Amino acid sequence: MINIEHVYQEITHITAEKNIMLDELLKNHTYTRLGGKADILVTPETFSEVQELVKLARRENIPFTLLGNGSNMIVKDGGIRGIVMSQKQFQNIRVESGTIFAQSGAAIIDVSRRALKERLTGLEFACGIPGTVGGALFMNAGAYGGEIKDVLEEAVVVDREGTLLTLPAEDLDLEYRTSNIPDKGYIVLEAKFKLQPGKYEDIKVIMDDLTYKRESKQPLEYPSCGSVFKRPPGYFAGKLIQDSELQGKGIGGAEVSTKHAGFIVNKNNATATEYISVIELVQKTVKDKFGVFLEREVKIIGEDADAETVKSVKQN
């Protein structure tokens, strides 16, 4: 059993009290607007504070979960025990000699826009990815033929012992929608992107085109976790879902988007339980119809909840 008051007092020695929230509903901190309560949600302001939080959790055997900005994950209705850390205060983006340094909490879209402003090419593909720098590295995010491993030079991370490390990109084993970051237990704090000089007009044309494609084809009017499934070899996930006649099918407040079959949207105050049930419905239907199993791209974390807890989350 976690002594929340004790943990809270320990954290006040690491970061300001304004950065610590108790029993905070995580649906207020995720793109999907899903998730039960965190025992303690912490939003540190410095890299050293992150190191000390990791050391505290390790020393006292407290569960520790990295939330990021909640863009490519689903938090279950039972919430998360122990310490949950958000990186929303790590927003800094700076440019030095054609290289962009971006902290983990910065939106990758904003990094691509800064690259445009600086007339640097290579990050155009990221102008439509709805997540942070940290999340983009975590899953080697990509779109429209580009991916993070194409432009990442190195990353600053904290390991499980609370040690600050600077690692070259090749040490992160970046592959299609994966990296070794979760297996190694790294917390990304900053990324260094090596880009090439380009013409502002040429970069803008590409970004405008990709932005149009995103806004015209993706259901941005509803909360979602973005693309739910990885592309199965030889197929397109969205096409399989569409051909399975699943668009518009839903459970509770969650449904498969009628605009883009690869998205599941929180259309009407869905619970995580409902959202996950729709994912499972899609997986089963596509497997039964085409013999293809759709692997999730989105991460699911947290604890299951009883009926009363689910009802409470939905009402709040």
Side-chain angles (χ1 to χ4, degrees), residues 91-104 106-124 126 133 137 148 151-156 189-197 203 207:
Q91 301 275 340
N92 185 258
I93 302 170
R94 71 184 193 280
V95 181
E96 297 177 8
S97 303
T99 299
I100 293 184
F101 296 83
Q103 290 185 346
S104 55
I108 193 68
I109 290 176
D110 290 342
V111 182
S112 71
R113 290 170 179 162
R114 181 63 181 273
L116 168 64
K117 181 179 178 181
E118 301 291 336
R119 294 173 168 76
L120 296 171
T121 183
L123 264 175
E124 291 88 337
V133 169
L137 268 64
I148 289 298
V151 291
L152 182 68
E153 185 169 336
E154 62 184 31
V156 177
L189 298 181
E190 187 175 75
K192 179 181 179 181
F193 298 108
K194 187 64 176 178
L195 307 176
Q196 300 300 319
I203 298 169
M207 290 180 64

Side-chain angles (χ1 to χ4, degrees), residues 134-292:
L137 268 64
F138 185 95
M139 63 174 291
N140 184 32
Y144 305 111
E147 54 188 348
I148 289 298
K149 75 173 185 177
D150 299 335
V151 291
L152 182 68
E153 185 169 336
E154 62 184 31
V156 177
V157 305
V158 169
D159 68 13
R160 288 190 175 100
E161 284 71 44
T163 305
L164 194 68
L165 305 171
T166 299
L167 303 175
E170 52 266 29
D171 284 2
L172 299 178
D173 296 338
L174 300 168
E175 299 295 341
Y176 176 69
R177 301 300 178 269
T178 64
S179 72
N180 65 17
I181 292 171
D183 291 338
K184 298 280 190 180
Y186 293 147
I187 297 173
V188 177
L189 298 181
E190 187 175 75
K192 179 181 179 181
F193 298 108
K194 187 64 176 178
L195 307 176
Q196 300 300 319
K199 293 183 178 180
Y200 181 92
E201 294 76 13
D202 294 343
I203 298 169
K204 189 173 188 302
V205 165
I206 294 171
M207 290 180 64
D208 286 348
D209 178 56
L210 296 183
T211 298
Y212 171 76
K213 287 179 179 177
R214 174 176 178 255
E215 292 178 348
S216 62
K217 295 180 180 179
Q218 296 182 13
L220 304 179
E221 64 272 26
Y222 296 112
S224 81
C225 59
S227 181
V228 178
F229 304 102
K230 295 181 180 180
R231 180 186 296 177
Y235 299 90
F236 291 95
K239 183 69 164 58
L240 289 171
I241 297 167
Q242 181 178 329
D243 291 346
S244 297
E245 300 181 344
L246 285 166
Q247 286 181 276
K249 303 292 185 183
I251 296 172
E255 72 173 42
V256 179
S257 170
T258 56
K259 193 172 185 180
H260 189 308
F263 285 65
I264 294 172
V265 295
N266 182 350
K267 193 171 182 180
N268 184 23
N269 193 29
T271 64
T273 303
E274 293 168 346
Y275 200 97
I276 293 168
S277 294
V278 176
I279 291 176
E280 293 170 347
L281 170 66
V282 170
Q283 289 176 316
K284 183 180 186 305
T285 304
V286 171
K287 184 71 167 62
D288 290 346
K289 190 174 182 66
F290 296 104
V292 179

